[in-house]
Amino acid sequence: MTRREIRRPIAIGVTVLLIAAGCAGGVSREETTAAIAQLGADDMAALVPVSREATDAVTDACASGQPGDVEAAADQVAVAQTRWHETEAWWMGPATDLRANALVDWPVNTDDVDELLAAAEPVTIDADYLAEFVGADTRGYGAAAYLLDGAPLDDRACDYATATTELAASTIDEVAAAWTESTDAASFREQLTATGGLDAVVNHVLMLLSSRESAHLGARSASIERVLFGADGDSGLAVMVDDDLAARLRVEADRMVAVAGPVEQPSVEQQSAGFEEAAEALRATVATELVAKLGITVTFSDADGDSAG
């Protein structure tokens, strides 16, 4: 199966970064916090149509039963799954409060999926049932991908695949709304900006860099890169530090991304042996030099990394 190309901004080279870092004296903490908070809100909002397209594709495949439509649905689910993990740097605040990854894409247990598929109850598998009565490893995009791989799909498998993508999409909707919409309370973007939320952002990056058991290290690495260097490679946290530190962060982040394994069609087995060393080098620099330069209060400990989803 040929997976759709997933485009993401990747900063390349050090020259542009050095120019930006050289102007760091003119970039305030408030401006940087606001820009990073806006990037997080934009990234989460951009996920909403992608998740809905995955649900629509599964619905269409089940309606037609055609192998080509099932393959297209599998491709769209893979795109949504990858795009979700490319936002891991923003899995704080609303995503944590909602335990979003446990609803969207926890590592799948295919034996449990098969067991639910074969069970007599419930008669119809819907999103509410999956949210309330099954484990995190029995739902989400991983479960949908497994079900679609078992085509042709019967009615129960179709109900299951549709329900799990609907649950993922509704969860992403809720997370994105919390980041972007101000109703009874300020949006999370506004909260981060108002409270000088760089501490929360940097502590979350440290957690990600310490948690290395994932099939999506390529996407996770890309998300960390966006926090450090922005969507254009010319912003992010790096604009607040001196040229030397910015350049070393760039080299270390580039190395981590290069050895993280493919963003598309990820698997634990494809992880590079060099990833742990590369991630640890960047983690050490962030935890010591970047933290010191930005005056970050570190609340994350290495033991916390074991719980990252």
Side-chain angles (χ1 to χ4, degrees), residues 20-28 239-241:
C23 301
V27 181
S28 72
V239 300
M240 295 187 66
V241 302

Side-chain angles (χ1 to χ4, degrees), residues 271-288:
Q271 289 178 20
S272 165
F275 179 81
E276 185 162 351
E277 180 182 351
E280 175 55 27
L282 180 58
R283 187 208 64 78
T285 301
V286 171
T288 55

Side-chain angles (χ1 to χ4, degrees), residues 62-139:
C62 286
S64 75
Q66 295 300 309
D69 289 338
V70 175
E71 183 172 347
D75 287 345
Q76 197 60 53
V77 166
V79 170
Q81 183 182 47
T82 298
R83 287 286 300 276
W84 169 245
H85 286 280
E86 285 185 319
T87 67
E88 285 195 32
W90 313 120
W91 290 4
M92 63 186 93
T96 300
D97 295 343
L98 295 168
R99 297 184 69 248
N101 196 46
L103 298 167
V104 177
D105 193 46
W106 200 261
V108 65
N109 182 325
T110 57
D111 289 340
D112 286 352
V113 172
D114 287 336
E115 183 177 340
L116 178 57
L117 198 59
E121 297 290 339
V123 174
T124 301
I125 301 172
D126 59 22
D128 289 340
Y129 182 84
L130 293 179
E132 294 293 331
F133 298 110
V134 307
D137 59 1
T138 316
R139 60 195 178 207

